[in-house]
Amino acid sequence: MFRSRRNVLLAGSLAALGLPGMSHAYSACVGTSQELDDALAQATATTDASITIKVREGTYAAGAGNVFYLTLTHSNQTASISGGWSGAGCGTRRLGAHSGSVLVGSASVAAIQLNTGFGTSGNTINATDLALRNDAGIANDAVGACLHVVLNPGSTVRAYRMRLDGCVGASAAILDNSGGDLTFANSVVQGGFNAGAPVRSLGNDGITRLAQLTITANTATSTSQEASGLYILSAPNVGTQVTLDNSIVWGGVAPAGIPDIATDGPGIVFTRAHYETRSNVNAAVTDNAPSHGAPGFMTPTNPRLRSDSPLVDSGVAIAVGGTSDADGEARTQGAAVDVGAYETNPDRIYADGLE
């Protein structure tokens, strides 16, 4: 059932009564594709300062009239969309990219698009605990098949605990940051077929933080694309900064000459990044050993780390990305944080019978 509640007390009425003003809030608990589309449309239209959309466990298909596009049209708004919800009124939540809330894109639209709003400022969008897929193959090369982010000056986007799986198109994710603050963390991008880099980070006078990512097993479909894993473009502006921390970019399938990572521009810093040697990295690289070689995945299609992986307990402390990994498990569970999207949990590995 679709549920929404709005504070209907008007600031003018409160002032007339001599009472302090109250900010309005829009909230929705959604369980169908149409309800999600309606909630996102309402989020775009509302002037409320706080917007919350809770997505129940289930599969939500874009297309056929549903476009999962969250764009803010006013300033100083905070919008949060999160998955893994169940129970009466979305009262129960399961954390993680495998939470059971799956958004599926189509040939015409991404699984989800996030836009902080042109001509606005002071906005924040939080997107968490969602699986994104698009095996239809999006036709528009300028749009990420699964995730497309447009961030404008003075605003913020945080995308945590996301799984982009089987995304077909030029890119699985396009992160377009023009003067804002963007964090993409504790997320997995795997199994896509892409004519451009699976993840494209475009920075222009903004701060982009890529942290605790695992980008793997994506197949290049062009002989001239930038990379088979990650492409970072940093415009030569004083305010442009891009960091890649505690992340794995490895195992892309590509023709000879296509790197796993390619970077272009100043202000790019890698800290404890693990990637294929066939990479074209023009960045400041720190605290990076071991930076190459097999990461020690469970299997080629399960990029969680084995207990004997050299990347277990080998990360560095960072202040972004939150306290949960892509499975919703706590960081940190050993002597130090693990590299990649998943934190190794010996009890969980044993229970799964994988070791």
Side-chain angles (χ1 to χ4, degrees), residues 4 14 17 25 38 66 70 72 76 85 87 101 117 123 180 203 205 218 231 240 250-252 278 341:
S4 66
L14 291 169
L17 294 172
D38 290 344
N66 297 315
L70 173 57
L72 301 179
N76 302 313
W85 294 95
S101 298
N123 287 331
D205 204 24
N218 297 288
Y231 174 65
T240 305
W250 188 87
R278 57 178 182 83

Side-chain angles (χ1 to χ4, degrees), residues 7 54 112 117 120-121 175 204 214 229 288:
N7 186 331
K54 298 178 179 181
I112 192 166
T120 66
S121 65
L175 313 174
N204 183 12
T214 297
N288 219 44

Side-chain angles (χ1 to χ4, degrees), residues 33 36-37 40 60-62 66-70 103-104 110-113:
S33 298
L36 177 55
D37 186 61
L40 292 169
Y60 300 78
N66 297 315
V67 179
F68 302 151
Y69 191 7
L70 173 57
L103 309 188
V104 182
I112 192 166
Q113 298 186 60

Side-chain angles (χ1 to χ4, degrees), residues 124-279:
T124 297
I125 295 178
N126 301 307
T128 58
D129 305 303
L130 295 168
L132 308 177
R133 297 176 183 163
N134 191 343
D135 60 4
I138 193 165
N140 187 348
D141 288 350
V143 176
C146 284
L147 174 65
H148 192 86
V149 176
V150 178
L151 182 55
N152 301 292
S155 290
T156 301
V157 169
R158 301 184 185 94
Y160 294 172
R161 299 186 300 273
M162 312 281 273
R163 181 185 179 190
L164 284 62
D165 191 0
C167 305
V168 180
S171 297
I174 295 179
L175 313 174
D176 191 350
N177 183 3
S178 298
D181 190 325
L182 188 154
T183 304
F184 183 41
N186 289 304
S187 297
V188 184
V189 183
Q190 68 177 103
F193 292 83
N194 310 113
V199 178
R200 301 186 82 234
S201 172
L202 310 175
N204 183 12
D205 204 24
I207 298 172
T208 300
R209 301 176 178 91
L210 310 174
Q212 306 285 172
L213 301 178
T214 297
I215 303 171
T216 187
N218 297 288
T219 299
T221 60
S222 168
T223 59
S224 60
Q225 65 193 69
E226 305 105 335
S228 62
L230 171 65
Y231 174 65
I232 299 175
L233 175 64
S234 177
N237 298 325
V238 174
T240 305
Q241 301 175 40
V242 183
T243 58
L244 178 69
D245 300 324
N246 291 344
S247 293
I248 304 169
V249 184
W250 188 87
V253 180
I258 303 297
D260 236 24
I261 298 181
T263 64
D264 185 5
I268 304 172
V269 178
F270 287 8
T271 302
R272 199 58 202 92
H274 192 89
Y275 51 89
E276 294 267 21
T277 54
R278 57 178 182 83
S279 293

